[in-house]
Amino acid sequence: HMEIVEMRPPLCCRVRHTGDLISGQGGFRVISCGEGDRSTFLWWEDLSLPTGTGPLWPLVRPGFRWGLRRSLDRFAAFAPRHGKGSGA
């Protein structure tokens, strides 16, 4: 589960992860790169696993990486369609 705790479009969003397996916080910021339309997208996460699950990380890591890569790929496809001048 994820709860939005701060939303300041289009500059930032902060969330709280409240799942049974993963908890913590995350978010993103869009930082201007000076004049023009260039910017940097900074995505951050501070996640915790339940106590005692650390030894399982080597088994969980491939699935976690797959999910993270899938999310990044979906965002990369979404962003050009909804950027400046897209009318969205």
Side-chain angles (χ1 to χ4, degrees):
H1 301 94
M2 188 168 46
E3 171 189 1
I4 296 174
V5 295
E6 179 182 12
M7 177 67 93
R8 289 188 292 141
L11 300 176
C12 76
C13 177
R14 193 167 54 92
V15 300
R16 180 179 303 125
H17 300 284
T18 59
D20 293 333
L21 183 59
I22 295 177
S23 62
Q25 57 183 340
F28 70 84
R29 290 182 48 108
V30 179
I31 303 165
S32 174
C33 291
E35 301 283 329
D37 293 339
R38 297 187 57 89
S39 60
T40 297
F41 181 82
L42 174 66
W43 177 7
W44 61 275
E45 300 282 349
D46 183 12
L47 304 174
S48 298
L49 296 172
T51 303
T53 59
L56 298 175
W57 179 244
L59 300 173
V60 174
R61 185 177 181 190
F64 183 83
R65 287 183 65 157
W66 174 84
L68 182 59
R69 172 55 49 199
R70 183 171 178 249
S71 293
L72 289 170
D73 289 345
R74 290 175 74 184
F75 183 75
F78 167 88
R81 296 192 311 265
H82 294 85
K84 184 176 180 179
S86 69

